[in-house]
Each structure stands twice: as C-alpha cells, then as structure tokens.
Amino acid sequence: MPALLETVDLDVAVAGRRLVHRLALALHPGATVAVLGQNGVGKTLTLHTLAGLRPADRGTVRIGGTDLRELGHRQRARRLGLLLQEQDDPFPTTALETALMGRHAHLGLWQWETAEDHALARAALAAMDLDGMEDRPCATLSGGERRRLGIATLLVQAPEIWLLDEPLNHLDPRHQFAVLATLDRAAAQGRAVLASLHDPVLAARHFQSVLLLHGDGRWQFGPVASLLNAGTLADLYGVNFETYQGADGAVMLPAASQPAAMSRHLADA
C-alpha cells in the first residue's frame, strides 16, 4: 500500500540557498510527525512544497503513489489540507462561513452547502471551543480564536493528509492540548499529520516521529524516542539542553546558563 504522502530526493531551496537536500519521507495512515528547527531553516517552505504551493527545486512529492503535479486542484484539496502560518481574511466572512469553506472541495460546480455541511461546520467549531461564535466576523476574533478556526476548517475539509504550520501559535495551554488531542484523533482515524512546532517538549510528548531541519540541507527523520535527546537538540538549535526526569518521562529543556562563547554568538545573531 503506497504511503499517503511520500517524497523522493526532494530539495527545497530559496534565493540560491539549499535548505533541504534529498528529503526522503513517507507518511502512512496514522502517522504523526513534528517538524523542528530554528527560524529560517525552511519549515514553512517545506510544508508549502509538500502542499504544491511552490515547486520543488528537485525531486518528487507523491500523494497515494501519484505525482502531486498530476493531481488537479480539487483532487489535491480532497486528499491534502494545509494550515498556513498566518491566515488573512481578504473578504468579510463569519466564523461559520469560513469553516464551510472546508467543504468546497467536496461540492460540485455551483452546488451550495447542504444542511449536513452546515452541521459538520458547526460541530467542528464546537470541537475547537468556538460554539456560539458562528456569526462573529473573522476580523473580530483573537489570534488564538482565528488559529482554532483554521483547524476547524481542516476538520470540515477532512483530508487524508494534514500539513500544519505552527498550529499551536497564539494558543494558551488549554487550547494547545485541545488541538493536540484533535490531531491525535485525526491520526487514529487513519490520517497522516505533519506539523511544525517550536516546542520540543510537546513534540516529544504528543508525536510519534520528528523531522529535524538544520537549514543547510541536512535533515534527520525518525522516532521521537530515538532521535530527540539533549545532543540532537543542541545541534539543532545551537544552545545547550538539559534532561529532566518528569512524572511522564524525560523532558529536554534549554539549559538555564549557556557557555560564554555561545551567549556571545546569540547576542550577535
């Protein structure tokens, strides 16, 4: 059975700089993968390349064994969903109208949303703690509310592959855990989830695998248990990490004090 999403010798580059070199990635049903790396290493560009928003510098992205370039826009939208890092609202819409946009890939030309579509959208809003806000203009939502609305729209879209660019941005801890639980449920239903994060602790606790991007072409992909440790995180982020033993297992956190040479490097960055 082909992977839901697969990359073959994929290169991601920008302005003549190769960020990711020959990425070999396979996401099967039920996979949850966290993408980690410093700012500017290509996390967003990689997600956009996997979604087909920009061409790969080299290599191939396959969806269910088919080259992504051979799929039409509607086919892509039925198979793959992308949560952008920043979401603009060029037109005045309400929360319900925005959530309903997730159904457009499943509707025929000139077909209007059905009562069932509206029920799906309302259920998705409630799942993201947005019930009662159906008629709120998106422009009046807070950053966290708008983030959860984006995930509600993905729930309505119901693609097989979820690509999420910093889905926990602007969220308080309670809503972070609610979103992470939603991603777990999506994976349990046979979907594949790939999400960029800035928190290695949440990646270690809530994801099966990690993709580490170093920004110079190097990448590492593997199970959380074998790949996430103080050494790999220090190499990834350029700061020392310490391991603490918590009730739920080991936790890696940046060291409270860094060597003087490293501190000077960070101050000059």
Side-chain angles (χ1 to χ4, degrees):
M1 182 178 179
L4 293 181
L5 184 147
E6 181 183 15
T7 65
V8 181
D9 289 338
L10 189 73
D11 279 13
V12 178
V14 63
R17 178 186 169 201
R18 188 170 61 190
L19 301 172
V20 182
H21 182 47
R22 302 191 72 172
L23 177 64
L25 184 70
L27 302 183
H28 292 274
T32 59
V33 181
V35 185
L36 300 177
Q38 295 186 42
N39 296 334
V41 298
K43 298 187 296 297
T44 293
L45 290 176
T46 297
L47 287 171
H48 287 187
T49 304
L50 296 180
L53 295 187
R54 64 187 306 274
D57 195 58
R58 165 186 171 177
T60 306
V61 179
R62 294 175 181 161
I63 303 297
T66 301
D67 191 319
L68 177 64
R69 293 168 293 190
E70 298 177 6
L71 298 177
H73 294 299
R74 186 177 296 273
Q75 290 176 298
R76 291 185 190 185
R78 289 178 176 176
R79 304 288 299 276
L80 183 153
L82 172 66
L83 178 72
L84 296 170
Q85 185 179 134
E86 298 294 338
Q87 295 169 292
D88 296 324
D89 298 299
F91 303 105
T93 58
T94 66
L96 180 60
E97 290 168 339
T98 299
L100 280 168
M101 291 179 186
R103 294 306 297 166
H104 288 181
H106 304 276
L107 301 177
L109 189 64
W110 306 115
Q111 183 179 356
W112 290 94
E113 300 92 348
T114 66
E116 182 180 356
D117 294 327
H118 278 260
L120 286 172
R122 291 180 184 277
L125 291 173
M128 287 293 99
D129 198 22
L130 295 171
D131 45 329
M133 300 187 188
E134 293 86 352
D135 296 326
R136 281 270 301 273
C138 289
T140 69
L141 299 177
S142 71
E145 290 168 342
R146 188 63 186 82
R147 203 75 187 133
R148 280 148 42 212
L149 176 56
I151 296 168
T153 305
L154 270 183
L155 283 170
V156 176
Q157 182 182 347
E160 296 174 324
I161 304 158
W162 290 34
L163 305 177
L164 305 106
D165 198 357
E166 299 186 23
L168 306 182
N169 256 11
H170 309 299
L171 299 185
D172 58 72
R174 180 171 74 88
H175 287 111
Q176 284 186 351
F177 287 123
V179 167
L180 290 166
T182 297
L183 302 186
D184 284 339
R185 285 192 295 272
Q189 294 165 356
R191 295 176 171 85
V193 175
L194 183 76
S196 67
L197 302 177
H198 281 299
D199 191 333
V201 174
L202 292 178
R205 286 181 171 175
H206 296 277
F207 288 79
Q208 303 162 2
S209 306
V210 287
L211 173 62
L212 309 182
L213 301 183
H214 293 267
D216 56 3
R218 291 181 300 139
W219 55 272
Q220 297 165 276
F221 176 61
V224 163
S226 61
L227 196 52
L228 273 195
N229 56 61
T232 57
L233 289 175
D235 182 45
L236 183 70
Y237 289 110
V239 297
N240 286 342
F241 277 73
E242 294 176 342
T243 303
Y244 299 89
Q245 195 63 38
D248 298 326
V251 176
M252 282 78 66
L253 297 174
S257 60
Q258 299 289 337
M262 188 175 295
S263 298
R264 287 195 298 271
H265 171 73
L266 291 174
D268 294 338

